[in-house]
Amino acid sequence: MICCMDKWSKKIDFLLSVIGFAVDLGNVWRFPYICYQNGGGAFLIPYVLMAVFGGVPLFYMELALGQFHRTGAISIWKHICPIFKGIGFAICVIALYVSFYYNTIIAWALFYFYSSFSSTLPWTSCDNAWNTENCTNYFGKDNVTWTNYSRSPAEEFYTRNVLELHESSGLGNVGVIRWQLMLCLFLIFTIVYFSLWKGVKTSGKVVWVTATLPYVVLFILLIRGATLPGAWRGVVFYLQPKWEKLQETSVWVDAAAQIFFSLGPGFGVLLALSSYNPFTNNCYRDAIVTSLVNCLTSFVSGFVIFTVLGYMAEQRHVSVEDVAKNKGPSLLFITYPEAIANMMGSTFFAIIFFVMMITLGLDSTFGGLEAIITAVMDEYPDVLTHRRELFVLGLVVVFFLWSQGGAYVVKLLEEFGVGSSIIAVVFLEATAVSWFYGINRFSNDIKAMLGYTPGLFWKVCWVAISPAFLAVSKYDSLLNPSPLTLFDYRFPDWSITVGYIIGISSFMWIPIYMVYKLVWTPGSLKQVSHVTVDAPKSRSLLTFIQNTLV
């Protein structure tokens, strides 16, 4: 049970916390890029289908599991299927990796926020100490030649002043720690600690600001972007459908991956947050509402980004495709700041933009850390029940110390620390719940909370469709690995090996715990299997499927 029986003060606190977790920086930087890369408006078809048949059912499943069993990602498996308890440990390890790199990105945003308090933004010109002869400022100037060697002031500010990549030779020598970034990281973790140290009663109040403010800023930036010259070019590029793309398997896999990482099942956050709900809370409605908000936010963010990219293309006298090459953090730390620097009222728009980034990041951090806190405290209540403040402080200190690796470590953890591992974990989670715990038992649990059982659609998705789309995504990620690069730096082969070790280090707890459970539980293998796995008693797969759908 939940330590100290903590509960949300209000229903809206829970909803804002879930929305804040699900709507993160990835909605702003990943969805627009994935959308235009995979057919523009045509991409919305596989995106919606993957959301309906894959993402939302898994989202609903986790909210229901957390609310019914009222415990975190580790202890919950005592009630579902004990032999799969290693899934809970794997989830916590993945959450650790996310915290190591994600808060570093928020610290970069805080550094930009501080740097924005200037009448002239420091990434506006090429007259700074960190600039090189390749720095090319084309805004407001005619006959400027842009070559493959040209670098914008915003790019050099990010790579040479913020990250200082020129001081490092790569992952083998990441350079020295910048005290300015370390201070920003310290401030971020200070905010995180005092938001989480008392539990959901404090974090539930903080999200009133961190979950709502980004929408105010998005609306302001959307209006400003729509009034810029050339904005229409960006919108057309963003949404113009390329129907032939729908014939490519990679487009459907990208849609599945995008909706999965956007909604965020498998990170233990939904289990943790919903475990503080009243038993009869309508988790079905919560799943539908929050999923819709998440998807619509991603869609609107595309307009915010691409109106600005259209403006930049107009200023550079190039196509939108030529300025839309940046993805990931570079889109938020180079492309968008570059456009802001050349707008009227640039200081104001820079400040609110990076406030939005900070608040989007903090919401997801709150959720990720709460998942770890709830899971561990529920697993060891006798030790940690009355020591939450100290436990949270210890976690925050560990995260702070391990978040000093810089851009190369961030890229490595982002690629290997989450990626394929979390897809495999959620696949096993969905399989364990639907096939071992049993879809009928799970449906009866939902009926106990809501008064009615889920419909046939949800059962089919949980038993077959959602696990299938996870399996396909996992297969594609293993079959078609993309080269790991950061700007002009290509990660060496040994670092890829390290990356795979990082990925395995989370997933390995699942088979390790299975072996432990089988070895140490008294009785024969058959008896242990009956104790640890409430397997279906159907004699055939067909019979079992028929029974689960009744």
Side-chain angles (χ1 to χ4, degrees), residues 307-455:
T307 52
V308 168
L309 293 180
Y311 164 64
M312 291 179 63
E314 186 89 357
Q315 297 298 312
R316 283 193 190 181
H317 306 291
V318 297
S319 67
V320 178
E321 186 174 7
D322 290 333
V323 297
K325 293 179 179 179
N326 286 327
K327 61 178 179 177
S330 297
L331 184 64
L332 302 182
F333 290 114
I334 297 177
T335 309
Y336 210 89
E338 183 178 336
I340 288 177
N342 295 277
M343 296 179 185
M344 291 289 293
S346 58
T347 298
F348 168 74
F349 287 108
I351 290 173
I352 64 171
F353 177 71
F354 289 110
V355 165
M356 179 189 73
M357 286 184 60
I358 293 168
T359 52
L360 282 174
L362 284 174
D363 279 334
S364 296
T365 290
F366 294 158
L369 291 186
E370 187 59 56
I372 300 174
I373 294 166
T374 300
V376 177
M377 290 189 67
D378 286 352
E379 182 66 9
Y380 306 103
D382 296 337
V383 178
L384 299 175
T385 296
H386 302 294
R387 297 181 178 89
R388 180 184 173 99
E389 292 89 346
L390 288 175
F391 175 59
V392 175
L393 178 61
L395 275 181
V396 168
V397 170
V398 170
F399 293 148
F400 173 74
L401 294 176
W402 279 90
S403 300
Q404 308 288 341
Y408 296 112
V409 176
V410 166
K411 183 66 177 179
L412 190 69
L413 288 175
E414 182 185 9
E415 187 71 21
F416 292 101
V418 185
S420 295
S421 300
I422 192 66
I423 295 176
V425 166
V426 181
F427 171 78
L428 289 178
E429 178 186 309
T431 302
V433 172
S434 299
W435 291 81
F436 291 91
Y437 184 68
I439 200 65
N440 285 332
R441 290 179 61 184
F442 181 54
S443 298
N444 290 334
D445 294 344
I446 294 178
K447 182 179 181 180
M449 294 186 293
L450 306 184
Y452 54 86
T453 57

Side-chain angles (χ1 to χ4, degrees), residues 82-273:
I83 202 171
F84 283 99
K85 191 176 181 179
I87 292 176
F89 293 109
I91 287 172
C92 289
V93 174
I94 292 172
L96 287 173
Y97 291 147
V98 172
S99 296
F100 290 159
Y101 79 81
Y102 198 77
N103 290 287
T104 303
I105 297 176
I106 305 173
W108 297 344
L110 182 58
F111 183 86
Y112 269 82
F113 173 72
Y114 167 78
S115 301
S116 299
F117 286 90
S118 172
S119 56
T120 302
L121 297 175
W123 56 87
T124 302
S125 69
C126 295
D127 303 325
N128 304 288
W130 57 81
N131 292 128
T132 67
E133 65 275 5
N134 292 324
C135 185
T136 305
N137 191 359
Y138 58 88
F139 277 93
K141 299 179 181 180
D142 295 324
N143 301 322
V144 174
T145 302
W146 189 268
T147 69
N148 292 334
Y149 298 99
S150 298
R151 298 292 182 266
S152 68
E155 181 175 344
E156 292 204 340
F157 177 82
Y158 178 54
T159 59
R160 297 180 61 84
N161 185 48
V162 180
L163 304 183
E164 291 189 340
L165 294 181
H166 62 291
E167 300 288 347
S168 168
S169 60
L171 191 61
N173 175 24
V174 296
V176 299
I177 296 175
R178 288 201 65 193
W179 69 266
Q180 297 94 331
L181 294 181
M182 186 172 67
L183 179 60
C184 290
L185 191 63
F186 176 79
L187 292 175
I188 291 298
F189 276 115
T190 300
I191 295 172
V192 169
Y193 174 71
F194 286 107
S195 299
L196 295 176
W197 69 323
K198 293 293 185 181
V200 296
K201 293 187 182 299
T202 54
S203 63
K205 298 298 180 288
V206 175
V207 294
W208 279 78
V209 175
T210 57
T212 57
L213 185 59
Y215 288 96
V216 176
V217 177
L218 273 176
F219 179 74
I220 295 173
L221 294 176
L222 178 62
I223 298 300
R224 182 67 183 105
T227 61
L228 293 172
W232 64 272
R233 294 177 58 188
V235 174
V236 170
F237 184 80
Y238 173 44
L239 294 180
Q240 186 173 29
K242 303 179 184 68
W243 301 111
E244 66 277 6
K245 281 281 190 178
L246 296 181
Q247 300 176 18
E248 300 177 12
T249 305
S250 61
V251 173
W252 294 84
V253 172
D254 282 348
Q258 172 59 30
I259 193 66
F260 171 75
F261 285 108
S262 180
L263 291 176
F267 289 91
V269 178
L270 302 176
L271 291 173
L273 297 180

Side-chain angles (χ1 to χ4, degrees), residues 508-524:
M508 69 180 186
W509 295 106
I510 300 174
I512 286 176
Y513 189 85
M514 286 181 174
V515 172
Y516 160 79
K517 193 70 176 176
L518 291 172
V519 170
W520 289 98
T521 302
S524 66

Side-chain angles (χ1 to χ4, degrees), residues 35-54:
C35 186
Y36 90 77
Q37 186 185 48
N38 289 287
F43 177 74
L44 297 178
I45 294 175
Y47 179 76
V48 171
L49 290 175
M50 291 299 176
V52 171
F53 292 100

